[in-house]
Structure formats: C-alpha cells, structure tokens
C-alpha cells in the first residue's frame, strides 16, 4: 500500500502543481477555466493510449521509443511553459484586463494535456495493468486513493494560496513556478535522453543525497517542485540552467516590450 | 526549445557512436517480481547497456534514484537502459511496482 | 475566491483528508514495522528451537524434512500459511538437514543476523544463528512477499474505513457549509426582492453575529437613502410651492404696469416681461405636477374611466392653443375603459396634446386616437412635426431634458418636464409608452393601458421612479 501511495502521490503531485499553477494564473489573467475539462479529457485519452500502446512504443527506435517519446513530450511541455512564462510576464506588466487570450487557452490546454498524459499513463499502468494482474487490487487501490487524495488536497491549498495573492503577485509567483517546472521537465527529459544514450552519461558534479535523499518525502516534494537531483552531471546542470535562463529571457522580453509600449504611448 | 534537441543530437553524435562499438551489454531478467541477477557487476568509468527482460505478465518499472533511471517494461517484453560511466560504488535499483521484493544493485568496480 | 461555499467545502475537506490519510499512513507503517518484528521474532524462535536438536544425532547423510508450519500464538492470523524454510549446517559449512523449500547451498552467508536474499524464485528473509555449544549453524527463512501480504491484509482492514469516511465527511461539510451560509442568502434575497422604492429596514430573524454588522450597515444606508430621497422630494415641491406666490404677485404687477404705461416701446417690453413670467409660472406648475404624480407619492383613487370621454374633455379645454397655431386636429376612436386616476390621466392627455401642438409647426396636423385593442386600451398621439430621432427617444423622459437644448425648431420654450410627467403617470397605471414615427411625418406616442380589472393595479407600481 505504501508503495502505491508513493507512486501515485508522486505522479499526482507533479500534475497537480502544474495544473494549479495554470488554473491560478489563467484565472488571474481573466480567462475562464474553459480549457480545464478539455485538457483533462485530452490528458486522460493521452494517458490511456500511451499506456495501452506502451509495448509497441517501447519497441520504436531500437527499443528506445519510450525514452524518445517521453523526451519529446517533456521538452514540448517545457517549451510551452517558456512561452507561457512570457505571456504571464506580459500580462503582469499590463494593467488588469478581462480580455481572455486565445494563446493562454491553447498553452494551458497543451501543457495540461501533456502533463496528465505522462503522469496518468504511469498511474494507469501501475493501478490497472499491474494491480489487476497481480491480484493486489485492494492494497493498490487503497494506496492510489490515499495518494490521489493527499495530492489533490495539497493542490487545493496551493490553488487557494495562489488565488489569495494579489493579481500581480499571483502572476509573478506563477511565472516563477512555471520556470521551475519547466526546468524540472527539462531535467527529466535529460535523464530520458541519457538513458537512451542520446546524451552522454557523466560523473556527477556533487552529491547532496546525504542532505536530502531523493527517495525521501522531502526529496520527492523537491523533485516535483523543481526537479531536485542529488547527483547532477555537467550536462544535466547546464541544460537545467539553460531552461531557467530561457524562462528568465522570456520574462525580460516581456519587460522590454512593456517599456517600449510605454515609450511609444507617451 | 528546438536548440535543446539539437544540442542533444550534437552531444549524442560526439559521444555516441565511438562508445557504442564496445558498449558491454548486461542482461537482467525479471521473474516473479525478482531481478536475476540481483547484483550486477560492471567495470568503472565505462558505459554499459542494460537489457532488462520482463518474463512476468505484469509490467514492472525499473527504477534507481542513484542511477537516475526509470523505465516501464510491460509484461513479456524487454527494455534497454544505458548506464554509466560510473564511479566505483554500489548503485541500488528496484522495481517500483514491487519495491519489497524486486531489488538489486549495480556494483561498479 | 469565487464561491465561499466551494472554498470552505474544498479546503476543510482537504484538511480532513490530509490529517486522516497521513495518520492512516503513519498507522499503517507502524503496524507494518510491528508485524515485521513479529515475523522476525517467529524466525528467531524457530531457529532457537531447531538449534536444540542434537545435530550429532542427525549425522549421516543430509536429511530433507517438512517445512515448519506453526501457528503463531501471539497473533493467530499472522501465522496462517506462513511456511518457514530452514537449514542446519556444521560449523564448517556441511549441510546436515534442510527443509523441502530450502536449497542445498546455504541460504545466506554464515554471518549471524537477518538478511534478505533471492532463491527458489522468491525473495526471502533469512536468519542465521550460530549455536556455539553444539557448534552448528541454523538458518531459518520466510518468504518476504507472504510476510508482507499477510500483514498488509490485516492492517488494510483498519485503513479502508478511513478512506471511505472522507467522501462522506466532504458531503456533510458541503451540507453544513450550505446551512451555515443560509442567513447570507436570506439577507441577499431580502434585499433583492424588495421594491426599488421600498427603503424600510431589512428585517431578519436571528441574525448571526457575523451578519449583524452587515445588516446594520445596510439598514443604516437605507435609512440615510430614504432621508435624502424625502428631502429631495420635499425640496422640489416646497421650492415650487413657495415660488407660486411671488410669481402671482409679479403677474398682477405686470398687469398693472401694462395698464399704466403709455409709451408703445415700454408696453412691448412689459409684454415680454409678462411672457417671461408666464413661462416661469408654467414651469413651477409643471414641477408641482411632476412631484404630485411621482408614483411613490401619489395617493391614487383608481376607478374605471372612459378614456375617450376624458380625451374629449381635455381637447375642449386645450383647443384654444391648437386653434391659435392654426393646426388641424382630429380625435379618433371611441370607448376604451381604463382603471385609473382621473386627474392624472387628464394631466397625461393634456401634456401629450400640448406637447404635440407646441412642437408642430403652425398649420400642421395633429391626431389623437383612443380605442380599445386586444390587450386593453391604446392611446396614440401623432403629429406632423419634426419627430424625435431614435437615439434621443430614451432620454426625452428625463427631467429637464430638451431636444437640441433650448433652441427648438419650433422656437417654443418648454419646461422639459412634460414627458417626465407623462412617464410617471404611465408607470403609475402599469401602462407602457413607446415613441415612434408617425405616418403624419412627425412623432407618434403610443400609450398602452392594460385591460381594466386585470387585477394587477394594486399597490405601488414595480418600476416606479
């Protein structure tokens, strides 16, 4: 049961953090949450098909299909988040408006669908494919319910916490979270590419597992929040920093546009 | 971030093919939610290709925090995981779906 | 935070869920550790028991015996099905005895303590002890998966109720929150349901402490609003009333002045002065009329009236003005019973008629038609004047609003109150008024009265003021 809790909680937490950030920020930008049901539906459909076709997918690219498809999904979600950071920053620098944005809608939809597909596929494989076949339904279902419940509860507090902030503070916090999340996604994509030998494996630069073990609860939380890695390699670290820089650049670009707009308007 | 993918390909091109030629392969089997062998010995500072063959009907997720590897292998199937180059030491791995029994470690010497 | 109810339900449920699930996990973990200890204890007891066997008595070939299946005394449920594989070795590592499940080779290295190993396609927990007196090794082992399944099966039974109760709790929280928020809804309904003109305090039974301040503030606001409305109404009425007397005096004095003046130029000026005073007098009368007909002010004496007959009466009074302007006038239709107040309706018809005449050029055409129709009585006033462009049709009912300011094509100066008075009277009678284009070329004013005896005319009109 405990392992079910941990597996499900980890996946749910990652998804929930991203979803809450998307929900809070898109609400703060004056968008209704119309993308939410569509995103959920697409995500569930994606998760189901990914899980069901996992075997043929794995066989693609000489047995590296899983890694490559995962990496593509992770990187596109990360890219969507970089653009999203730019949108958030632009909106935060402008006076409040209730004009819904089609770009915000599309990006939320994409990021939500990709995230739910990936996290959902693993939960589905574990709970259904494994739980049913191994005849451990009771313990796995209990664990899954507990894990999902805890994840959603954290999400509830997180969402209302974000909504309690002022519009500006909410948007900038969301931009920060999106930056960290996108870096975390890039980190995961890096593991996948290393695992598939498309990026070189390297000796780690340092080891902080004595401080926070990745398998501990804190470690899991940190990993869900910003892709904590106890033993990063040079490649992982540089790609991680590159994605953080990309998000910062997206924000700087928004600021640049904002100042230009002000100059032309005065 | 298309440049990331491009960077990935360049790096892979630089490190990949040369090493690929002599990449040693190690096969690990999963039977009854157990790893056989449960202890894999590999030389230090060299890349190794792990072939994980799942002989059970249930899926299993090969996972290791220490190796930063995670791969779902569905029932009656197999998967490839590259590890290393690694410093000497012990790197535990486990089957995430059966963490109590499916345990093993890579011993780098 | 769009909904207090959803916020409260979600956050309280989430909190309960977190607390109960986390404590369930904690309980589960501790129970599992307990169970592990229990199983380890079992291994140790069995190992000790086995070591009591005299290995020298068993020498001479390896014996294979049944695995131990011993009921657990401490917790019978945990002992079920639990098989214990065992081996006994000499200190030098020679196998003396093994159970069926145990392999030929040592299950674990010869080191005292617990250890987890794989053999026979299972993972086992193995205990190795060295009996120094007898100088032999005893190894006992249990399958880890069975140990875990047994323990989990029992402990899970304690956890599942926790999981089931949380959704139940969430439903209850939703109901409680809804119940708790009811006074707020009642207050909102109470405020929303009242008439716009009803400024009496909101009365709530058993106002909860949190809402006392709010309802007090609302009542305070209503009271002040009521006061200022009263003052405004009184001011206009009082001012107009007070102005009446000096204007009458002025009129008399101008009349006298005209009698006494000899020079023609001076007489002309005095005549203009008289016209100015007449206009001012008219304005004051209209202000008084407006206040009298304000729907929340008027004390109505509704009775069935023949609107056509009423129209004839008004026309005969106002006919001089029409004649003076050389306009052609027709009164059409007939009948049409309206439940209403005679004075107010007379004022309505008078205002419609004089308005039409005033804004229609000399020699123009006017037509008043009063007739019953499908829904009641319809009163139409038409003229051949300039009409009112569509975009101004809403605004002309405002007090003191005049099309094109004072520069009217007709050159007539009005008070700007005529149509406001008309609107008041129309509202008072639950009638409707629409402005349109007449086939005579000018304005068409259409007033529809509901059928008399429709039962709706009781109390105050809904959309008054």
């Amino acid at each position: 049961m405990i392992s079910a809790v941990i597996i499900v909680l980890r996946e749910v937490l990652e998804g929930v953090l991203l979803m809450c950030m998307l929900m809070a920020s898109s609400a703060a930008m004056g968008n209704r949450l119309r993308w939410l049901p569509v995103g959920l539906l697409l995500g569930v459909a994606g998760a189901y098909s990914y899980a069901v076709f996992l075997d043929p997918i794995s066989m693609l690219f000489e047995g590296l299909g899983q890694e490559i498809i995962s990496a593509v999904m992770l990187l596109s979600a990360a890219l969507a988040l970089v653009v999203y950071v730019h949108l958030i920053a632009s909106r935060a620098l402008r006076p409040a408006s209730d004009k819904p944005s089609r770009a915000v809608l599309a990006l939320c939809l994409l990021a939500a669908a990709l995230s739910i597909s990936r996290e959902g596929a693993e939960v589905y494989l574990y709970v259904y494919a494994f739980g049913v076949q191994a005849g451990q339904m009771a313990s796995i279902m209990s664990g899954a319910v507990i894990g999902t419940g805890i994840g959603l509860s954290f999400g509830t507090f997180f969402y209302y916490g974000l909504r309690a902030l002022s519009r500006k503070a909410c948007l900038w916090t969301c931009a920060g979270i999106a930056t960290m999340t996108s870096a975390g996604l890039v980190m995961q994509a890096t593991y996948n590419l290393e695992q598939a030998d498309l990026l070189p494996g390297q000796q780690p630069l340092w080891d902080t597992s004595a401080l926070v073990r990745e398998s501990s609860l804190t470690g899991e939380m940190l990993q869900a929040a910003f892709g904590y890695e106890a033993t990063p390699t040079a490649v992982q670290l540089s790609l991680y920093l590159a994605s953080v820089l990309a998000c910062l650049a997206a924000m700087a670009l928004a600021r640049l546009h904002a100042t230009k707009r002000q100059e032309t308007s005065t | 971030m298309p440049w990331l993918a491009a960077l990935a390909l360049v790096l892979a091109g630089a490190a990949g093919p040369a090493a690929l030629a002599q990449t040693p392969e190690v096969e690990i089997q999963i039977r009854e939610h157990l790893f056989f062998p449960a202890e894999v010995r590999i030389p230090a500072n060299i890349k190794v290709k792990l072939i994980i063959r799942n002989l059970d009907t249930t899926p299993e997720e090969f996972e290791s925090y220490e190796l930063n590897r995670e791969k779902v292998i569905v029932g009656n199937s197999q998967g490839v995981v590259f590890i290393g180059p690694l410093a000497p030491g012990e790197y535990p791995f486990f089957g995430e779906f059966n963490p109590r029994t499916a345990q093993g470690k890579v011993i780098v010497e | 935070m769009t909904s207090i109810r959803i916020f409260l339900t979600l956050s309280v449920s989430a909190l309960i869920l977190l607390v109960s699930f986390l404590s369930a996990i904690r309980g589960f973990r501790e129970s599992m550790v307990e169970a592990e200890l229990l199983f380890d204890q079992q291994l140790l007891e069995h190992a000790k028991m086995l070591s009591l066997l005299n290995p020298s008595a068993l020498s001479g070939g390896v014996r294979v015996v049944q695995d131990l299946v011993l009921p657990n005394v401490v917790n019978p449920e945990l002992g079920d099905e639990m098989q214990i594989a065992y081996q006994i070795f000499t200190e030098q590592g020679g196998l003396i005895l093994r159970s069926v499940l145990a392999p030929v080779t040592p299950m674990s290295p010869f080191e005292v303590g617990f250890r987890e190993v794989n053999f026979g396609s299972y993972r086992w927990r193995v205990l190795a002890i060295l009996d120094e007196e007898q100088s032999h090794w005893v190894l006992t082992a249990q399958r880890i998966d069975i140990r875990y399944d047994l323990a989990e099966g029992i402990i899970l039974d304690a956890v599942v109720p926790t999981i089931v109760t949380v959704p139940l709790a969430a439903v209850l929280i939703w109901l409680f929150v809804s119940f708790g928020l009811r006074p707020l809804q009642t207050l909102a309904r109470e405020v929303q349901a009242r008439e716009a003109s009803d400024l009496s305090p909101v009365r709530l039974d058993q106002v909860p402490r949190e809402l006392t301040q709010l309802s007090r503030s609302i009542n305070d606001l209503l009271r002040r609003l009521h006061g200022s409305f009263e003052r405004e109404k009184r001011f206009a009425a009082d001012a107009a009333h007070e102005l009446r007397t000096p204007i009458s005096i002025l009129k008399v004095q101008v009349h006298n002045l005209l009698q006494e003046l000899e020079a023609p130029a001076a007489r002309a000026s005095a005549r203009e002065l008289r016209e100015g005073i007449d206009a001012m007098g008219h304005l004051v009368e209209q202000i008084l009329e407006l206040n009298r007909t304000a729907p929340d002010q008027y004390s109505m004496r509704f009775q069935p009236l023949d609107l056509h007959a009423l129209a004839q009466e008004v026309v005969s009074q106002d006919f001089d003005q029409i004649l003076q302007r050389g306009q052609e006038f027709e009164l059409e239709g007939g009948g049409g019973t309206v439940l209403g107040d005679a004075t107010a309706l007379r004022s309505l018809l008078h205002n419609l008629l004089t308005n039409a005449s005033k804004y229609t050029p000399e020699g123009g055409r006017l037509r008043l038609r009063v007739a019953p129709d499908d829904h009641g009585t319809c009163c139409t006033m038409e003229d051949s004047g300039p009409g009112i462009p569509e975009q101004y049709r809403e605004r002309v009912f405002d007090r003191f609003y005049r099309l094109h300011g004072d520069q009217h094509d007709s050159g007539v100066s009005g008070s700007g109150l005529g149509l406001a008075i008309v609107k008041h009277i129309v509202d008072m009678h639950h009638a409707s008024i629409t402005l349109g284009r007449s086939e005579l070329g000018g304005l068409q004013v259409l007033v529809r009265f509901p059928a008399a005896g429709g039962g709706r005319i009781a109390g105050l009109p809904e959309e008054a003021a």
Side-chain angles (χ1 to χ4, degrees):
Chain A
M1 189 194 88
I2 294 290
S3 55
V5 172
I6 291 172
I7 292 176
V8 174
L9 177 60
R10 192 171 58 187
E11 305 300 331
V12 169
L13 210 56
E14 266 182 56
V16 156
L17 285 185
L18 180 67
M19 295 296 286
C20 286
M21 185 278 289
L22 290 176
M23 281 163 69
S25 55
S26 97
M29 283 189 276
N31 281 284
R32 306 252 313 278
L33 297 178
R34 259 181 313 168
W35 55 269
L36 188 62
V38 187
L40 284 175
L41 211 69
L42 276 179
V44 169
Y48 181 75
S49 29
Y50 187 69
V52 168
F53 297 113
L54 187 64
D55 200 21
I57 287 173
S58 302
M59 287 304 132
L60 292 174
F61 308 110
E62 294 167 31
L64 299 174
Q66 220 184 55
E67 284 82 358
I68 291 175
I69 303 260
S70 277
V72 168
M73 284 169 82
L74 286 161
L75 288 176
S76 17
L79 181 61
L81 284 180
V82 173
V83 181
Y84 194 64
V85 165
H86 176 71
L87 279 182
I88 297 180
S90 319
R91 280 298 184 103
L93 290 168
R94 241 180 278 173
S97 86
D98 275 351
K99 221 171 68 189
S101 150
R102 196 165 281 181
V104 169
L105 233 66
L107 282 173
C108 285
L109 198 66
L110 180 69
L114 283 173
S115 159
I116 298 173
S117 292
R118 263 181 341 96
E119 320 291 355
E122 192 158 332
V123 172
Y124 172 85
L125 273 175
Y126 178 64
V127 172
Y128 184 75
F130 175 74
V132 170
Q133 289 174 33
Q136 298 186 2
M137 228 28 208
S139 93
I140 284 180
M141 278 310 281
S142 317
V145 169
I146 290 183
T148 313
I150 293 177
L152 291 179
S153 298
F154 272 122
T156 308
F157 293 132
F158 186 56
Y159 175 74
Y160 280 114
L162 283 176
R163 296 290 287 141
L165 296 173
S166 71
R167 176 180 164 275
K168 261 203 170 147
C170 172
L171 285 179
W172 284 118
T173 312
C174 286
I177 295 167
T179 303
M180 293 286 110
T181 312
S182 115
L185 293 177
V186 168
M187 195 74 160
Q188 287 186 42
T190 314
Y191 303 149
N192 272 296
L193 292 172
E194 279 183 11
Q195 183 165 311
D197 198 28
L198 293 172
L199 280 179
Q202 286 171 322
Q203 303 280 357
L205 293 174
W206 63 71
D207 187 351
T208 51
S209 47
L211 217 61
V212 181
R213 277 195 310 133
E214 278 180 48
S215 51
S216 68
L217 187 66
T218 327
E220 296 278 9
M221 296 276 246
L222 291 179
Q223 191 159 30
F226 65 91
Y228 170 70
E229 167 57 56
T231 53
T233 66
V235 171
Q236 287 164 3
L237 189 70
S238 48
L239 288 179
Y240 185 90
L241 291 179
S243 72
V244 171
L245 282 177
C247 288
L248 291 179
M251 289 188 226
L253 199 65
R255 187 165 281 277
L256 198 72
H257 279 312
T259 41
K260 244 190 206 157
R261 208 171 32 240
Q262 262 173 4
E263 275 166 18
T264 49
S265 67
T266 47
Chain B
M1 238 172 299
W3 53 269
L4 250 186
L7 179 68
L9 287 177
V10 169
L11 284 170
L20 207 64
Q22 327 93 9
T23 303
E25 293 183 6
V26 176
E27 185 176 311
I28 301 176
Q29 290 189 347
I30 300 172
R31 288 199 306 265
E32 297 280 340
H33 316 309
L34 291 176
F35 286 114
F36 295 97
E39 287 180 2
V40 179
R41 281 166 200 279
I42 61 165
N45 301 320
I46 187 170
K47 185 164 58 187
V48 175
K49 182 180 183 180
L50 293 182
I51 299 169
I52 301 155
R53 210 179 282 279
N54 184 2
L55 302 177
D56 291 340
T57 51
T58 54
E60 184 58 274
E61 179 165 358
F62 174 86
E63 168 138 17
S64 168
Y65 290 108
E66 285 74 8
L67 297 165
N68 279 320
R69 293 294 176 264
E70 187 178 10
K71 179 159 188 160
V72 176
I73 297 133
V74 294
N76 294 317
S77 178
Q78 65 174 39
V80 175
V81 172
F82 286 90
I83 58 168
L86 295 164
E90 286 191 0
Y91 299 84
F93 59 82
F94 62 101
E96 189 166 31
F97 294 173
N98 293 280
R100 292 178 305 281
T101 53
Q103 288 183 355
K105 55 190 164 196
V106 173
I107 300 169
V108 181
E109 305 169 310
Chain C
M1 231 170 283
T2 39
S3 158
I4 296 180
R5 191 194 305 205
I6 293 177
F7 165 70
L8 285 178
T9 308
L10 281 184
S11 53
V12 174
S13 307
L15 192 66
I16 290 184
L17 188 146
L18 268 188
V19 170
S20 57
F21 281 12
L22 287 179
S23 69
I25 290 178
R26 200 184 146 74
F28 182 89
R29 272 198 162 142
E30 277 174 4
S31 306
M32 287 305 271
V33 170
E34 286 291 310
E36 292 279 305
L37 282 177
L38 222 55
F39 284 128
D40 283 353
Q41 193 66 36
Q42 229 176 21
L43 281 180
L44 185 65
E45 278 165 15
H46 291 156
K48 276 187 178 155
M49 196 184 70
L50 286 166
S51 75
L52 292 177
L53 293 171
N54 190 356
S56 49
L58 297 168
S59 60
V62 177
R63 297 191 181 205
V64 180
V65 293
Q66 273 302 310
D67 300 291
L68 286 166
V69 184
L70 293 176
N72 189 309
V73 196
V74 189
N75 189 339
E77 284 178 87
L78 286 183
D80 266 6
E81 303 173 48
M82 178 56 86
Q83 291 174 315
I84 297 177
Y86 57 93
Q87 296 169 323
I88 301 177
F89 289 92
T90 63
E91 210 171 352
Q92 290 74 39
L95 181 62
I96 303 169
L97 181 142
R98 72 175 175 92
S99 67
V100 178
L101 284 174
V104 189
T105 50
M107 295 188 286
S108 80
F110 293 121
E111 285 167 35
V112 176
F114 288 98
R115 184 171 275 103
E116 291 182 2
V117 293
N118 294 355
F119 64 81
S121 68
Y122 294 108
R123 194 164 179 85
W124 299 75
R125 187 156 172 91
V126 183
L127 169 68
I129 60 166
L130 174 63
D131 185 358
E132 277 168 38
E133 263 173 58
Q134 310 280 343
S135 70
H136 56 244
W137 284 93
V138 177
L139 277 63
T140 50
Q142 284 172 327
R143 264 171 65 182
I144 287 181
D145 52 337
I146 293 183
R147 275 165 67 113
Y148 197 90
D149 286 349
L150 281 176
E152 192 181 56
I154 295 159
I155 301 166
L156 212 53
D157 289 345
V159 173
V160 169
T162 319
I163 299 174
V164 182
T165 46
V166 168
L168 270 175
V171 172
L172 285 178
I173 291 167
W174 171 262
L175 291 176
F176 287 152
V177 168
S178 306
F179 183 75
L181 286 177
R182 246 188 7 200
L184 201 60
Q185 287 169 312
T186 318
L187 178 66
R189 241 196 335 262
E190 177 78 14
V191 172
Q192 198 192 9
R194 58 186 34 227
E195 309 277 352
S197 54
D198 180 8
L199 296 177
S200 60
V202 177
R203 241 177 278 281
L204 283 180
D205 302 331
Q206 298 166 317
V207 181
R209 209 179 316 148
E210 289 80 358
L211 283 184
T212 324
Q213 192 49 49
L214 180 64
S215 57
R216 227 180 257 153
S217 307
I218 289 179
N219 282 340
D220 192 41
L221 188 68
L222 286 174
R223 196 174 45 71
R224 276 181 292 162
L225 203 58
H226 183 68
S228 75
F229 271 0
E230 282 298 309
R231 271 194 301 281
E232 189 229 14
K233 265 188 303 206
R234 263 204 313 274
F235 175 75
D238 292 351
H241 194 79
E242 291 304 316
L243 282 171
R244 255 177 156 178
T245 324
I247 287 172
S248 326
I249 297 169
L250 279 176
K251 276 183 176 169
V252 173
Q253 284 167 345
V254 156
H255 181 79
N256 295 343
L257 189 65
L258 269 168
Q259 303 294 316
E260 291 158 17
L261 280 174
E262 306 276 317
R267 286 180 68 93
S269 306
R271 234 177 261 121
E272 276 170 29
L273 185 61
R274 187 177 61 185
E275 273 164 32
I277 292 169
D278 282 346
M280 201 200 281
H282 176 66
L283 176 63
V284 167
E285 288 303 322
Q286 290 281 72
I287 291 175
L288 280 173
E289 183 74 18
L290 185 71
N291 276 292
R292 266 204 296 275
T293 56
D296 50 347
Q297 189 89 338
Y298 203 84
S299 53
M300 284 170 292
R301 286 172 301 276
F302 275 18
Q303 58 193 49
L305 294 167
D306 183 343
L307 197 63
H308 193 263
L310 216 57
Q312 277 175 327
E313 197 182 306
V314 172
V315 167
S316 61
Q317 269 172 24
D318 292 337
F319 206 66
D320 280 351
Q321 187 188 341
I322 299 165
L323 272 184
Q324 262 172 29
R325 294 180 63 81
Q327 288 158 335
E328 193 184 312
F329 178 81
E330 300 167 69
L331 177 63
E332 290 181 355
T337 311
V338 168
L339 191 62
D341 181 271
T343 322
L345 287 177
R346 237 177 252 130
S347 167
L348 170 97
L349 290 164
H350 167 75
N351 272 296
L352 284 180
L353 198 61
T354 48
N355 237 27
S357 165
K358 210 187 303 180
Y359 295 117
T360 303
E362 298 200 356
R365 291 179 62 198
L366 307 174
R367 183 162 72 200
L368 178 61
R369 185 185 156 78
V370 179
D373 71 353
D374 298 347
H375 309 288
T377 305
C378 186
C379 167
T380 322
M381 182 72 231
E382 289 173 279
D383 62 52
S384 63
I388 299 175
E390 207 166 333
Q391 64 265 37
Y392 301 113
R393 284 184 190 157
E394 271 302 306
R395 289 219 54 200
V396 291
F397 294 113
D398 291 351
R399 284 176 294 181
F400 296 111
Y401 182 80
R402 261 164 296 176
L403 212 54
H404 315 305
D406 278 330
Q407 273 78 53
H408 227 283
D409 300 346
S410 57
V412 232
S413 64
S415 62
L417 290 173
L419 282 174
I421 295 170
V422 167
K423 182 81 167 102
H424 275 179
I425 298 169
V426 161
D427 287 342
M428 186 195 296
H429 288 86
H430 296 278
S432 70
I433 183 164
T434 34
L435 302 183
R437 177 151 286 278
S438 160
E439 55 184 40
L440 298 181
L443 181 68
Q444 180 198 51
V445 184
L446 187 70
V447 182
R448 281 175 196 282
F449 292 90
R456 263 192 72 208
I457 307 171
L460 289 164
E462 273 178 4
E463 284 165 286

